[in-house]
Amino acid sequence: MKISIEENSITAEELKSKLEEKFPDYEFMQRNKKMLVAKKTKSAGTNIVVYKKRIMVAGSFPTMGGQMLFTLSLFLLGILIPIIVYLAAFRPAQKQSEEEIGGYIKELTAP
């Protein structure tokens, strides 16, 4: 989800503090200067990247281990089986997390 903002209107640190207040059930970690990771469960989370004029919100696996395990399963089991399992089991929770956080960020940055 792409959210347009005014140039340099919010930083990742400010966004992290506001999100922690609004979503106490999520665990927020800063992966680098521009990227936040919101973790709801071990398999459902959201990556939030703050650019100059936009914020990108994408549902994903919140841990590097989960991402590597999914990638490894793609190589070992082929593409079709892991994609079907991902779409059936993991994607709905990740999409819900993305919509919750993305909706709040839209409200927060609306003029």
Side-chain angles (χ1 to χ4, degrees):
M1 171 184 302
K2 293 180 185 179
I3 302 167
S4 297
I5 59 172
E6 293 179 21
E7 191 167 346
N8 295 325
S9 63
I10 192 164
T11 64
E13 293 84 17
E14 293 171 357
L15 186 60
K16 180 182 176 189
S17 65
K18 291 179 182 181
L19 288 170
E20 285 174 339
E21 292 173 8
K22 177 69 176 175
F23 299 102
D25 55 331
Y26 281 83
E27 180 183 337
F28 292 92
M29 299 163 283
Q30 193 150 3
R31 197 166 277 174
N32 61 32
K33 186 178 175 183
K34 295 182 178 182
M35 184 174 182
L36 297 172
V37 177
K39 178 181 176 183
K40 188 169 189 176
T41 64
K42 290 183 179 181
S43 63
T46 305
N47 291 336
I48 306 160
V49 184
V50 180
Y51 295 107
K52 289 182 181 180
K53 294 185 177 183
R54 70 178 187 269
I55 297 175
M56 296 287 296
V57 180
S60 67
F61 292 104
T63 61
M64 292 300 290
Q67 292 173 358
M68 286 189 283
L69 186 63
F70 178 68
T71 304
L72 184 63
S73 71
L74 284 172
F75 287 120
L76 295 177
L77 300 173
I79 292 179
L80 188 60
I81 294 170
I83 292 294
I84 291 170
V85 170
Y86 170 74
L87 291 174
F90 300 115
R91 185 65 185 151
Q94 292 174 356
K95 188 68 173 174
Q96 178 188 9
S97 175
E98 176 185 338
E99 289 173 356
E100 286 176 1
I101 292 178
Y104 175 69
I105 293 173
K106 274 187 181 178
E107 291 175 14
L108 188 66
T109 59

